[in-house]
Amino acid sequence: MMTPFSLGPTAAERLNRARADLRMGLPVVLSGQLAVAIETLSPERLAALATLGPLTLAITSWRAETLKARVYDNDLARIVVPKDADLAWLRAIADPADDLRMPMKGPLASRREGDATLARAAIALAKTSQLLPAALLAPLPDPAPEGLTTLDATEVLREISAAAVLAPVSAARVPMRAAEKGRLHIFRPDDGGEEHYAVEIGSPDRSEPVLARLHSACFTGDVLGSLKCDCGPQLDAALTQMGHEGAGILLYLNQEGRGIGLANKMRAYDLQDQGFDTVEANHRLGFEDDERDFRIGAALLKKLGFSKVRLLTNNPAKVRMLEANGIEVVERVPLKVGLSRHNAAYLATKAAKSGHIL
Ligand SMILES: Nc1nc2c(ncn2[C@@H]2O[C@H](COP(=O)(O)OP(=O)(O)OP(=O)(O)O)[C@@H](O)[C@H]2O)c(=O)[nH]1
Ligand SMILES: [Zn+2]
């Protein structure tokens, strides 16, 4: 007899489908309520949702703190949406762009009754869709609208905290300026998320510590040569050093903007032009200062056959995370390049607030 096999989507697959829905502005059914991301919500959908009953706006405690809203649920606040609230009102709560020009007219009322799991899952969904971390919750009508993705909040939180399994997809020789003997490997997660890359220089001996770099994607620094950060020079310097030593492994992790995505990073840059530092800007947007999942780096190194590294970094958190995930860091190799007058304050903030070693 054949083993029964379900063709329907798994929890991880439904989760990723839900992300596509939220990015389009479509609601998802989350533990018996409707959830939609504020960033992509249209006025028409808001009007339709408003007919269903009381609405709740879920935001993170970081955002709530800026807005002076009460936080009863530790990491988040559930804001009561007034009956006459329009999309501009919701957007002003979600997006700090105009905080200084048009301070929010409060006071905001927060819900404290009931369970916050659903709100937490909705925020986690918005965040991992690289949208602003703010979601609108509405009662589910009876009959429920057809064709919406249905999820369970607890399952969503479990899936998001689980490490994705990455599989090698393809690899080929890529000679580079820094090293002629280079090979690019592409890895794809089983949950439909971002692909990540590994650049292998030379033929590193798997039984010895390898010179390694975990580089997080930075479109502005890596591609445009932005002077606001040190990413471009760090990428070049890491590859150059690997070229000189004749061996190394550089992981290029697609976690743009410390995991918040390029659109949110530009929001953070705009806030930095208003006077906030890199950490404050993330918080005002409702994010943690670093939203990256460093487990991916450890998993890729293991997949490639490495267990010991000499890690090129100024960030002790990267060392700790690799060690915690089964990679021995035999040496931290500093990578101090690319200081400019545009990024001096940024690097000083990383040293003062994120423990970077200058
Ligand atoms: N949110 C946010 N991300 C930024 C900002 N400036 C740079 N980034 C991102 O920060 C990340 C920098 O990553 P890395 O250089 O790998 O890591 P690091 O934590 O600085 O540590 P090391 O470079 O290894 O010392 C990239 O994803 C950049 O896109 C900023 O102002 N805000
Ligand atoms: Zn950068």
Side-chain angles (χ1 to χ4, degrees):
M1 228 182 59
M2 272 180 43
T3 342
F5 178 77
S6 161
L7 281 174
T10 62
E13 287 161 345
R14 271 184 287 118
L15 181 72
N16 216 48
R17 193 184 265 183
R19 292 193 180 109
D21 294 345
L22 292 181
R23 288 186 64 87
M24 283 189 288
L26 200 63
V28 297
V29 179
L30 189 57
S31 291
Q33 289 205 34
L34 290 173
V36 63
I38 299 299
E39 178 165 349
T40 49
L41 179 61
S42 68
E44 295 78 17
R45 279 230 161 77
L46 173 59
L49 290 169
T51 64
L52 301 177
L55 302 178
T56 302
L57 176 52
I59 56 175
T60 68
S61 53
W62 283 118
R63 187 70 192 128
E65 196 177 291
T66 303
L67 297 168
K68 309 251 181 310
R70 288 221 182 222
V71 175
Y72 297 115
D73 307 310
N74 303 312
D75 53 330
L76 64 93
R78 291 171 287 151
I79 308 293
V80 176
V81 178
K83 279 211 161 51
D84 58 352
D86 59 6
L87 196 50
W89 188 89
L90 293 168
R91 288 231 173 108
I93 291 189
D95 189 344
D98 290 328
D99 277 0
L100 297 186
R101 221 162 30 91
M102 291 187 297
M104 262 312 282
K105 284 181 243 36
L108 298 172
S110 303
R111 291 191 204 287
R112 61 190 308 175
E113 77 289 351
D115 181 34
T117 308
L118 199 153
R120 186 165 295 117
I123 290 174
L125 272 171
K127 258 192 194 181
T128 56
S129 307
Q130 304 204 325
L131 298 169
L132 285 167
L136 189 66
L137 308 173
L140 184 66
D142 186 15
E146 277 179 35
L148 297 182
T149 304
T150 300
L151 304 158
D152 175 76
T154 309
E155 202 170 71
V156 164
L157 292 169
R158 196 174 52 228
E159 284 295 331
I160 287 178
S161 63
V165 178
L166 290 138
V169 180
S170 57
R173 196 177 61 83
V174 180
M176 286 163 284
R177 267 196 308 274
E180 271 194 52
K181 204 161 173 270
R183 195 170 174 77
L184 179 62
H185 305 256
I186 310 300
F187 289 87
R188 188 175 292 162
D190 61 351
D191 63 357
E194 289 282 355
E195 292 177 355
H196 302 286
Y197 320 135
V199 184
E200 185 173 4
I201 306 287
S203 311
D205 181 351
R206 265 54 177 176
S207 65
E208 291 292 320
V210 64
L211 183 63
R213 166 87 183 139
L214 268 61
H215 187 87
S216 300
C218 178
F219 173 74
T220 46
D222 300 343
V223 180
L224 301 181
S226 158
L227 302 174
K228 273 184 72 78
C229 59
D230 54 349
C231 301
Q234 282 189 325
L235 180 59
D236 283 347
L239 290 173
T240 301
Q241 187 167 343
M242 290 172 190
H244 283 153
E245 294 194 12
I249 188 83
L250 182 137
L251 303 184
Y252 193 92
L253 305 170
N254 277 309
Q255 302 176 314
E256 173 67 60
R258 296 199 296 272
I260 68 176
L262 189 56
N264 285 319
K265 186 171 98 171
M266 289 307 99
R267 294 187 170 114
Y269 273 13
D270 190 44
L271 292 172
Q272 288 169 42
D273 283 342
Q274 296 180 33
F276 300 103
D277 71 33
T278 179
V279 169
E280 290 164 344
N282 261 39
H283 291 170
R284 289 187 81 87
L285 284 161
F287 290 105
E288 303 297 328
D289 27 310
D290 198 333
E291 295 273 359
R292 287 175 287 184
D293 181 355
F294 282 117
R295 292 174 303 184
I296 298 169
L300 284 184
L301 286 171
K302 285 185 210 159
K303 277 254 141 75
L304 290 155
F306 299 106
S307 58
K308 295 190 204 115
V309 296
R310 290 163 52 225
L311 190 68
L312 280 158
T313 187
N314 308 321
N315 183 353
K318 283 188 184 175
V319 175
R320 284 195 297 274
M321 284 305 294
L322 282 188
E323 296 269 0
N325 288 283
I327 300 288
E328 191 188 334
V329 181
V330 300
E331 185 189 353
R332 183 186 70 81
V333 184
L335 191 56
K336 290 173 192 162
V337 285
L339 184 67
S340 79
R341 67 184 170 87
H342 298 277
N343 66 20
Y346 165 73
L347 294 174
T349 301
K350 293 223 291 190
K353 294 192 174 177
S354 313
H356 280 238
I357 300 162
L358 266 188

